DNA sequence: AAATTCCACAACCGCACTCTC
DNA sequence: TGAGAGTGCGGTTGTGGAATT
């Protein structure tokens, strides 16, 4: 049994020995490094090389934990580090890399000679804050449009594949036309169903919207391919790159936006809060061999994902189709961590974190996201800022700037859900997902979905 | 000049992966 | 095959200095 306590920059680690007496092992220092400590560490690495960082403390007398040593070396003492502010070229590169990778700082750092993930992360975060405050777009137009064009291209390709594909036990989902959405009864784990809800106190929402592309062979569970709705939101910055999302975030930051986002706390599709936005990431996974890639950012995974991606592009017979599947079932089948057993990989909005490489494979684009949003009940109570956005209030600059998008969203006719789209009786299956109103009612409230605070 | 806010940076923390035994 | 150590990564927090009020 190990216990740690920390005070005045020192962490004392004790280990209870058999007799019950606590044996003091070591007092590890915390806080800023001194030049003397740096010298010891540099000397140690010069003699022994990098790695085995826990041995540094044992062999050099440095009262720092291995992690701290590694970090200090990697971020400050490494001889190949580039010091000083980022050059304009580097700043441009960061933007491009972030558009490509999302918040994968280590991967970005790997592309930037002499720069550390921490540096890039700090730069990005402060820049994000600044831009958020100023209400500016995160990406310059050329990166934004380039990225979008790239994704649209892929999307069209995927759509062509989908159109060619044959029908199987699950119906094809056409996001553009909002047809053939298969919401099967979730009471049966084997049945496809869109939602999994878990009654977890905010902010740990696990309300997921999972989408799977399925290979031709429906029985080949290993070849399943899962992406999620949040992939359309991609990284935080990609999220913000979308005017709709910008609008959402801007609105959400308003003092009077206490009720929620996307028109309603009851709508709940997107849960955002300022403090959580930084963790917004892209989402997705591939087959079960790639399930680890869902949470890993390893280069080998990248290589593999890229290979898969290339293969998919070349192989017209892959016929990937978008399916709505029960998240827990499908994800288990794919070897993907499910909300039931892990919080990891979930964004603050309850969306699953995706490997950026899969973002590129993701057939969902912002358009599909918007289409999907349309597929949800829209006639929900809206907060003040939301209603303002719909009235073209000229005094509301943010509503003005993004009003078109928001307005379009809310002014979709309230949809009615057929019986088979109705969520299950919570009492019957233990799921706490419910709709308020009749299936034919135009007012449907998802009253247990996440809200914005 | 003092107080407050903003900003950049360093460091820590928790989680998850990989490797070895 | 499972456990534990080592390591990497991303998010968050703490801190000191600059800028602003």
């Amino acid at each position: 049994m190990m216990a740690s306590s920390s005070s005045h920059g020192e962490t004392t680690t004790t280990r209870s020995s058999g007799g019950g007496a606590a044996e003091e092992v070591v007092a590890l220092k915390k806080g800023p490094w001194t030049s003397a400590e740096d010298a010891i560490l540099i000397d140690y690495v010069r003699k022994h090389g990098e790695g085995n960082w826990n041995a540094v403390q044992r062999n050099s007398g440095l009262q720092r934990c291995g992690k701290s040593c590694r970090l200090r070396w990697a971020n400050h003492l490494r001889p190949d580090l580039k010091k000083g502010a980022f050059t304009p070229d580097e700043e441009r590169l960061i933007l491009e890399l972030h558009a490509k990778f999302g918040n994968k700082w280590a991967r970005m750092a790997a592309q930037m000679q002499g720069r550390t993930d921490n540096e890039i992360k700090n730069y990005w975060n402060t820049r994000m804050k600044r831009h958020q405050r100023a209400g500016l777009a995160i990406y310059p137009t050329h990166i934004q449009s380039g990225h979008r064009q790239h994704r649209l291209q892929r999307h069209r390709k995927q759509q062509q594949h989908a159109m060619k594909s044959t029908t199987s036990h699950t119906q094809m989902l056409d996001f553009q036309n909002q047809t053939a959405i298969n919401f099967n009864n979730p009471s049966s784990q084997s049945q496809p169903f869109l939602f999994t809800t878990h009654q977890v106190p905010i902010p740990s929402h696990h309300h997921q919207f999972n989408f799977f592309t399925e290979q031709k062979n429906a029985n080949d569970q290993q070849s399943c391919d899962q992406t999620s709705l949040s992939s359309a939101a991609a990284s935080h910055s990609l999220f913000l790159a979308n005017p709709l999302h910008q609008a959402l975030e801007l609105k959400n930051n308003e003092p009077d936006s206490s009720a929620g986002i996307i028109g309603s706390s009851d709508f709940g599709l997107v849960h955002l809060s300022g403090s959580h936005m930084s963790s917004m990431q892209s989402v997705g996974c591939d087959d079960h061999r790639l399930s680890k890639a869902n949470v890993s950012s390893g280069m080998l995974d990248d290589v593999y994902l890229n290979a898969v991606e290339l293969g998919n592009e070349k192989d017209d017979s892959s016929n990937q189709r978008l399916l709505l599947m029960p998240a827990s079932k499908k994800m288990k089948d794919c070897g993907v961590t499910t909300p039931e057993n892990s919080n990891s990989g979930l964004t603050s909005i309850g969306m699953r974190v995706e490997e950026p490489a899969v973002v590129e494979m993701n057939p969902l684009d912002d358009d599909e996201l918007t289409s999907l949003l349309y597929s949800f009940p829209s006639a929900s109570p809206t907060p003040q800022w939301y209603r303002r956005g719909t009235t073209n209030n000229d005094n509301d600059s943010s509503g003005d700037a993004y009003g078109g998008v928001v307005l379009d969203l809310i002014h979709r006719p309230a949809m009615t859900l057929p019986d088979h789209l109705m969520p299950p009786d919570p009492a019957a299956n233990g799921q706490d997902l419910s709709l308020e109103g009749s299936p034919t009612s135009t007012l449907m409230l998802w009253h247990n979905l996440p809200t914005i605070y």
Side-chain angles (χ1 to χ4, degrees):
Chain A
M1 194 58 158
M2 298 284 279
S4 294
S5 65
S6 148
S7 66
H8 301 294
E10 276 197 356
T11 297
T12 303
T13 305
T14 59
R15 181 184 293 140
S16 60
S17 53
E23 165 200 354
E24 185 118 334
V25 176
V26 70
L28 295 177
K29 195 179 168 207
K30 291 170 79 172
W33 281 64
T34 64
S35 50
E37 288 176 313
D38 282 347
I40 293 174
L41 183 56
I42 291 170
D43 189 52
Y44 182 89
V45 174
R46 193 178 297 139
K47 285 178 185 162
H48 301 90
E50 296 182 43
N52 203 8
W53 295 108
N54 286 325
V56 177
Q57 182 254 318
R58 285 197 299 269
N59 300 333
S60 70
L62 201 53
Q63 301 304 298
R64 294 279 184 172
C65 70
K67 271 179 113 168
S68 187
C69 293
R70 183 184 66 80
L71 214 61
R72 183 65 185 174
W73 175 260
N75 289 342
H76 301 283
L77 304 178
R78 248 171 48 198
D80 61 328
L81 282 182
K82 206 184 279 181
K83 301 284 184 184
F86 287 106
T87 66
D89 277 348
E90 286 177 317
E91 290 179 354
R92 243 192 320 274
L93 184 56
I94 289 174
L95 282 170
E96 287 168 9
L97 290 172
H98 194 275
K100 191 175 172 191
F101 296 137
N103 293 1
K104 299 296 179 184
W105 312 116
R107 199 172 307 172
M108 292 166 72
Q111 314 265 331
M112 298 184 68
Q113 190 67 32
R115 296 298 186 180
T116 70
D117 52 354
N118 214 32
E119 261 182 306
I120 298 169
K121 180 170 58 182
N122 284 332
Y123 168 77
W124 185 265
N125 286 341
T126 51
R127 182 179 181 278
M128 287 284 292
K129 279 182 206 159
R130 203 164 52 227
H131 277 239
Q132 252 176 283
R133 242 193 305 274
L136 299 173
I138 298 303
Y139 295 124
T141 327
H142 73 280
I143 292 180
Q144 215 174 110
S145 60
H147 180 74
R148 180 173 172 78
Q149 216 163 17
H150 176 65
R151 299 182 66 205
L152 278 171
Q153 224 170 352
R154 283 190 178 281
H155 164 226
R156 290 201 188 96
K157 198 174 282 184
Q158 293 285 350
Q159 270 204 324
Q160 286 170 1
H161 284 191
M163 291 302 286
K164 282 189 233 163
S165 70
T166 55
T167 311
S168 77
H169 69 282
T170 342
Q171 290 178 315
M172 185 173 75
L173 172 66
D174 181 343
F175 287 99
Q176 296 290 0
N177 300 314
Q178 307 169 32
T179 59
I181 303 174
N182 189 348
F183 293 69
N184 289 342
N185 190 344
S187 59
S188 163
Q189 279 286 307
S190 63
Q191 296 275 348
F193 182 65
L194 178 61
F195 309 101
T196 59
T197 65
H198 307 271
Q199 215 47 7
V200 178
I202 289 166
S204 302
H205 302 300
H206 291 158
H207 306 275
Q208 293 191 325
F209 301 89
N210 295 306
F211 298 87
F212 299 85
T213 56
E214 190 188 58
Q215 303 296 326
K216 222 171 188 177
N217 182 358
N219 295 325
D220 183 9
Q221 294 292 355
Q222 291 201 346
S223 63
C224 74
D225 191 10
Q226 179 242 334
T227 58
S228 90
L229 172 61
S230 56
S231 61
S235 68
H236 180 195
S237 50
L238 293 183
F239 186 87
L240 289 170
N242 183 322
L244 168 60
H245 302 146
Q246 288 175 346
L248 295 176
E249 172 150 278
L250 281 173
K251 294 291 190 179
N252 193 40
N253 287 338
E254 287 187 23
D256 60 345
S257 63
S258 58
I261 210 152
I262 309 197
S264 166
S265 60
D266 290 311
F267 184 75
L269 177 58
V270 177
H271 166 80
L272 301 171
S273 71
S275 62
H276 290 130
M277 283 303 294
S278 63
S279 61
M280 280 292 297
Q281 292 197 345
S282 51
V283 178
C285 84
D286 198 66
D287 64 24
H288 114 278
R289 289 157 299 175
L290 282 178
S291 61
K292 283 181 180 174
N294 194 33
V295 289
S296 164
S297 55
M299 292 298 186
L300 282 177
D301 290 336
D302 286 351
V303 173
Y304 181 73
L305 286 167
N306 286 336
V308 170
E309 189 176 0
L310 280 172
N312 285 344
E313 282 183 350
K314 287 176 183 172
D315 183 8
D316 284 338
S317 67
S318 61
N319 285 336
Q320 296 194 346
R321 289 174 298 110
L322 282 167
L323 302 173
L324 292 169
M325 301 290 282
S328 56
K329 165 79 168 67
K330 196 73 177 184
M331 290 169 79
K332 277 173 189 163
D333 290 341
C334 300
V336 176
T337 313
T338 66
E340 285 91 342
N341 55 26
S342 172
N343 282 343
S344 71
L346 289 175
T347 67
S348 58
I349 58 171
M351 293 175 173
R352 188 146 292 276
V353 177
E354 170 185 44
E355 195 62 22
V358 185
V359 172
E360 305 303 331
M361 300 169 61
N362 177 18
L364 277 176
D365 205 321
D366 297 338
D367 297 335
E368 290 102 346
L369 172 60
T370 309
S371 295
L372 183 70
L373 294 176
Y374 293 162
S375 300
F376 286 83
S378 57
S380 308
T382 57
Q384 182 65 26
W385 58 259
Y386 202 85
R387 284 190 288 271
R388 271 194 318 198
T390 68
T391 57
N392 285 333
N393 186 344
D394 288 338
N395 297 326
D396 181 6
S397 60
S398 55
D400 234 3
Y402 306 103
V405 179
V406 177
L407 194 142
D408 186 28
L409 176 64
I410 6 184
H411 282 248
R412 298 284 296 197
M415 64 178 288
T416 60
L417 291 180
D419 285 335
H420 72 280
L421 298 188
M422 287 300 291
D425 178 4
N429 56 26
Q431 297 229 33
D432 191 22
L433 173 69
S434 55
L435 272 176
E436 198 173 88
S438 74
T440 53
S441 166
T442 55
L443 178 64
M444 314 281 269
L445 301 178
W446 298 87
H447 54 70
N448 66 334
L449 286 172
T451 55
I452 311 304
Y453 295 96

